[in-house]
Amino acid sequence: MSRLTRRSLIAAGAAGLAAPFVARAAEPDFRLKFGNIVSGDHPLNIAMGRVRDRVARETDGRVLIELFPKNQLGSDADMLSQLRSGALELFAQTGVLMSTLVPVASISGIGFAFPSYDKVWEALDGPLGQHIRAAFEKANLVCMEKSYNHGFRQTTSATRPIRTPDDFNGFKIRVPPSPLWTSMFKAFGAAPVSIPWAETYSAMQTRIADGLEQPLIGLLVDKMYEVQKSCSLTNHMWDGFWVLANRRFWDRMPAPLRDIVQRNINQEALVQRGEVEHMNATLQQKLQSLGLQFYEVNNADFRQRLVTSGFYQDWQKRYGDEAWALLESTTGKLG
């Protein structure tokens, strides 16, 4: 795979968000707005641009997917509301942030659960993923089979670097609005501050928080390196996106057209996973050149702190024994 840089990302993103290929002059029969919170040059939107173009070709222009990245349609909560009401047809969101509606969706973000990407895909393409998707169906949403990759999350700071669990004591860290994130960082003694992603850059500028946590690709495309000094490679949580559809709109589409949309979204997810994994493995040097200082940490020390704090036992009770057993069938014993 060729090396991806911010310049190539921006070029690809611009191409991905450009007007789609449409074979017919007529208006499309079905127009699907696709909303999400990440930048247009994020691999999620680049991949969905490829989906859009193939769907237009394969349906002879009957189906048009329109991309609305980086909160163009509102905050993540706004877009979820739009999705449920039918004002938005497609929405990509992380399982952790979808947990306000589907609590078990956040189980893929349990701290220090997955040691590698292979284990993530084994879980989410297997019984655990089936369990999560069934929960989305019960919430009257259509969930595509394959999730998209955002990567393992790292910890950054504008003040002191995080080298050990004790360095989190009193540390004001920006987290997304999610009980799982808040619970995990409180277990380390940190002071988590829930801030929507669209407001995070300005929050770092004004020192509402001391640091944040995000995959390296997020630090790059949203220029968080400009407002952070150090990055600790904690790999504390895997993060990715489920692509969700409004049930009423989805059921109105003829089955052959639904199949084309779903097949292309799922196939492109497999390509995008590898692209993000490659990028997150190679971006450290790029971010260092932009002024971010990196620190290796002993991840086992952080995981042990979650064990002794009772974090895993607490979340096992919240998710229930069935979901927890499906998680541990891939990760091994956590508590």
Side-chain angles (χ1 to χ4, degrees), residues 13-322:
L17 296 177
F21 172 91
V22 179
R24 306 186 313 164
E27 246 331 88
D29 297 331
F30 298 93
R31 191 182 295 269
L32 289 77
K33 298 186 297 295
F34 171 66
N36 59 85
I37 65 173
V38 295
S39 300
D41 55 358
H42 188 285
L44 168 70
N45 284 306
I46 295 172
M48 285 299 293
R50 297 192 294 257
V51 171
R52 176 205 56 204
D53 291 346
R54 286 205 302 273
V55 166
R57 285 194 295 268
E58 292 180 26
T59 64
D60 193 28
R62 292 184 63 195
V63 178
L64 172 62
I65 298 174
E66 299 175 300
L67 275 59
F68 294 90
K70 203 169 185 179
N71 300 101
Q72 289 182 16
L73 300 179
S75 68
D76 44 12
D78 293 333
M79 285 186 282
L80 176 57
S81 178
Q82 293 166 31
L83 181 75
R84 299 183 71 191
S85 71
L88 180 62
E89 292 77 28
L90 288 176
F91 177 46
Q93 185 55 287
T94 69
V96 177
L97 291 179
M98 284 300 301
S99 64
T100 54
L101 177 65
V102 179
V104 76
S106 67
I107 196 170
S108 59
I110 284 289
F112 299 94
F114 296 108
S116 66
Y117 285 108
D118 288 345
K119 287 296 183 181
V120 171
W121 309 133
E122 179 184 335
L124 295 187
D125 292 342
L128 179 62
Q130 293 171 10
H131 184 82
I132 295 170
R133 292 193 300 276
F136 279 120
E137 295 288 336
K138 290 177 182 177
N140 206 32
L141 295 175
V142 177
C143 182
M144 302 300 142
E145 181 181 357
K146 302 298 183 183
S147 58
Y148 280 66
N149 198 3
H150 194 28
F152 283 97
R153 300 176 79 94
Q154 318 300 343
T155 304
T156 63
S157 172
T159 56
R160 63 178 183 271
I162 303 298
R163 293 188 174 99
T164 71
D166 288 340
D167 290 329
F168 272 124
N169 288 335
F171 185 76
K172 292 187 298 180
I173 184 168
R174 176 268 172 189
V175 297
S178 162
L180 180 62
W181 261 295
T182 301
S183 172
M184 182 176 72
F185 285 103
K186 281 186 175 179
F188 292 129
V193 182
S194 292
I195 301 171
W197 184 245
E199 302 170 20
T200 298
Y201 187 96
S202 61
M204 294 301 110
Q205 286 180 309
T206 56
R207 297 297 295 276
I208 292 174
D210 300 318
L212 58 98
E213 49 80 58
Q214 182 74 182
L216 296 186
I217 179 63
L219 297 175
L220 178 68
V221 297
D222 285 297
K223 299 185 178 181
M224 292 299 168
Y225 55 83
E226 295 178 347
V227 288
Q228 299 287 275
K229 294 180 180 178
S230 66
C231 178
S232 301
L233 297 173
T234 48
N235 287 299
H236 53 270
M237 177 190 292
W238 175 81
D239 198 17
F241 303 93
W242 293 105
V243 177
L244 305 163
N246 173 269
R247 166 63 68 186
R248 292 185 299 277
F249 180 89
W250 190 253
D251 288 346
R252 286 202 304 271
M253 291 180 65
L257 297 183
R258 289 201 308 264
D259 291 344
I260 290 172
V261 174
Q262 189 161 5
R263 171 172 49 79
N264 277 288
I265 289 175
N266 289 331
Q267 287 179 351
E268 195 57 47
L270 301 179
V271 177
Q272 188 266 1
R273 289 175 182 182
E275 291 175 344
V276 172
E277 184 175 348
H278 172 79
M279 289 194 68
N280 279 323
T282 57
L283 282 179
Q284 180 173 337
Q285 184 176 356
K286 174 66 175 177
L287 288 165
Q288 282 177 320
S289 72
L290 294 168
L292 203 59
Q293 188 171 359
F294 280 78
Y295 295 89
E296 298 282 346
V297 302
N298 187 340
N299 304 88
D301 292 343
F302 290 85
R303 178 170 173 170
Q304 184 58 36
R305 180 66 62 89
L306 296 185
V307 172
T308 57
S309 70
F311 171 84
Y312 293 121
Q313 290 181 330
D314 178 38
W315 283 93
Q316 180 176 357
K317 293 176 184 175
R318 298 197 200 192
Y319 291 124
D321 291 340
E322 180 184 3

